[in-house]
Amino acid sequence: MQLIKPGINIDFIGKRKIAFSLSALMLLISIGSLLVHKGPRYGIDFAGGTLVQVKFTAPVNIDHIEDGLAKMGMTASSIQQFGHTDDNEYLIRTDVTTSAMEGLSETIETQLKESTGVPVEIRRVEMVGPQVGKDLREKALFAMFYALLFITVYISGRFELKWAKSGVVAAVLMAAVYLLSIFDVSVPFLMLAALIVSLVIFWFFEFKYAMGAIVALIHDVTITVGLFSIFGKEFTLPIVAALLTIIGYSLNDTIIVFDRIRENLRKYHRESMATILNKSVNETLSRTILTSMTTLVVVLALFVLGGGIIHDFSFALLIGILVGTYSSVYVASPILLAWQARRK
């Protein structure tokens, strides 16, 4: 199936300055929101605490819920409605943790029933200690950083045949990060520094395809996390899974474009780099749009009909697919043009 007719010639590369300006604006807003809010709004998985999902048989006053929790010593940091208004379901989040898991559900049920005067059902109780939350947060950062390094090796090996060089660079970076993490260095700052050093090394060793892909992936992840911060959505373990999925999706889209660029560089070696990039993006445009549209239909169905449990997960995928498709065309490919300018 061909959505785009053969021979179409949209000047994507000619609009790269507008695209770069738009990307820079989105990145600034995302990073600014993260700085203002001091990072994303971590869920129970990462911040530690207790999460209780309750369902009442009739509408209740949130103040009455807080009174019932206060009698238990569980000062609620937030109480929000969950699902539709008619469901009368609430998510209760508190920083307080307790080791007395046995009988906790029954105690909460009794106290909330007394304070609200409405029968209540405890749907779930989740509890994570602060140290466990910190460990999970650090492991999530390591997982994404190592994923980017393995992607570098694959891209450099496949498109530039630099398997050995990229493998050694990735191994050294992984070893350095691991050793520094042992000495109690702050993991978020360590990851940021390692990411900057990695990009400098990629530029020095001329991993141009890998650098184009990695910059596009950083672009996608940063904007997705930034939107979570802007909308006040919780950052949990399922969101990390969604980010890794976005990385895989965006990378696949970028590889398709890069593969066509490599073919056209051999076929049209007398043409300018800008012309070859434009031709390659246009030739893969039909496949890119069809893949994005079919994936978006599924994710949109999950977002609308999937319920509250996977709402944030599907939201992350929705944003990631849109931004990932954009970055494959307007971020990853034009970086190759920057390399040609550097050589000149």
Side-chain angles (χ1 to χ4, degrees):
M1 180 181 178
Q2 273 194 328
L3 185 67
I4 307 296
K5 293 181 179 180
I8 190 170
N9 187 26
I10 302 173
D11 188 15
F12 291 106
I13 303 302
K15 305 293 189 298
R16 66 186 182 278
K17 291 183 179 179
I18 298 174
F20 283 161
S21 299
L22 178 61
S23 293
L25 179 62
M26 288 191 292
L27 287 171
L28 283 173
I29 293 172
S30 299
I31 294 171
S33 177
L34 289 168
L35 290 174
V36 169
H37 295 103
K38 298 180 180 179
R41 182 187 167 204
Y42 291 115
I44 298 296
D45 297 338
F46 295 133
T50 304
L51 172 70
V52 184
Q53 181 181 341
V54 296
K55 179 178 175 63
F56 293 91
T57 57
V60 296
N61 192 316
I62 290 180
D63 293 335
H64 295 161
I65 298 176
E66 290 180 348
D67 293 340
L69 294 171
K71 292 177 181 178
M72 297 175 55
M74 294 178 64
T75 305
S77 56
S78 69
I79 300 173
Q80 69 179 79
Q81 202 151 28
F82 186 75
H84 297 290
T85 307
D86 297 336
D87 294 338
N88 299 317
E89 286 194 54
Y90 295 88
L91 279 182
I92 302 167
R93 295 176 178 84
T94 175
D95 298 334
V96 178
T97 57
T98 175
S99 57
M101 284 294 292
E102 187 176 350
L104 180 62
S105 296
E106 290 78 3
T107 305
I108 294 173
E109 184 176 353
T110 303
Q111 289 292 342
L112 291 182
K113 186 177 179 180
E114 289 180 3
S115 63
T116 61
V118 177
V120 60
E121 176 191 351
I122 306 299
R123 289 296 183 92
R124 59 173 166 147
V125 178
E126 295 178 7
M127 196 174 299
V128 177
Q131 185 57 45
V132 174
K134 180 184 176 184
D135 292 342
L136 288 173
R137 189 165 64 243
E138 292 177 354
K139 287 178 180 177
L141 289 171
F142 280 121
M144 284 189 281
F145 179 71
Y146 290 152
L148 292 178
L149 287 183
F150 284 122
I151 287 168
T152 301
V153 175
Y154 173 73
I155 297 288
S156 297
R158 175 171 173 177
F159 290 98
E160 300 171 278
L161 300 179
K162 296 178 180 178
W163 290 104
K165 187 185 288 186
S166 59
V168 170
V169 168
V172 170
L173 285 170
M174 288 173 67
V177 167
Y178 175 74
L179 289 173
L180 287 172
S181 65
I182 293 175
F183 293 103
D184 230 8
V185 179
S186 175
V187 172
F189 287 108
L190 176 59
M191 291 294 101
L192 180 61
L195 208 55
I196 295 171
V197 170
S198 300
L199 291 176
V200 172
I201 292 173
F202 297 163
W203 181 268
F204 178 77
F205 284 107
E206 297 191 358
F207 297 158
K208 53 183 180 292
Y209 284 96
M211 190 166 183
I214 296 301
V215 170
L217 294 179
I218 294 171
H219 170 275
D220 301 343
V221 170
T222 304
I223 291 174
T224 304
V225 175
L227 283 172
F228 263 73
S229 174
I230 291 168
F231 289 108
K233 291 184 174 292
E234 283 196 341
F235 195 83
T236 58
L237 277 176
I239 306 307
V240 175
L243 292 179
L244 292 172
T245 305
I246 291 167
I247 288 173
Y249 176 87
S250 181
L251 179 66
N252 177 67
D253 210 12
T254 302
I255 285 175
I256 291 170
V257 178
F258 278 180
D259 212 26
R260 187 56 59 91
I261 291 172
R262 183 178 57 173
E263 291 174 6
N264 286 339
L265 279 171
R266 297 169 184 167
K267 192 185 297 184
Y268 307 106
H269 57 276
R270 293 185 179 179
E271 298 281 353
S272 67
M273 187 64 170
T275 302
I276 293 172
L277 290 177
N278 235 10
K279 186 183 290 290
S280 302
V281 172
N282 279 282
E283 287 175 355
T284 57
L285 189 60
S286 178
R287 182 174 179 177
T288 299
I289 293 176
L290 281 172
T291 304
S292 300
M293 283 177 60
T294 51
T295 310
L296 274 173
V297 168
V298 177
V299 175
L300 194 59
L302 286 175
F303 181 73
V304 175
L305 305 172
I309 297 295
I310 61 170
H311 186 270
D312 289 350
F313 176 81
S314 53
F315 176 78
L317 288 179
L318 197 64
I319 299 302
I321 290 169
L322 290 171
V323 178
T325 303
Y326 162 85
S327 68
S328 297
V329 175
Y330 282 114
V331 178
S333 301
I335 285 177
L336 299 179
L337 195 61
W339 279 96
Q340 188 188 46
R342 178 200 176 196
R343 286 185 174 181
K344 286 182 179 180

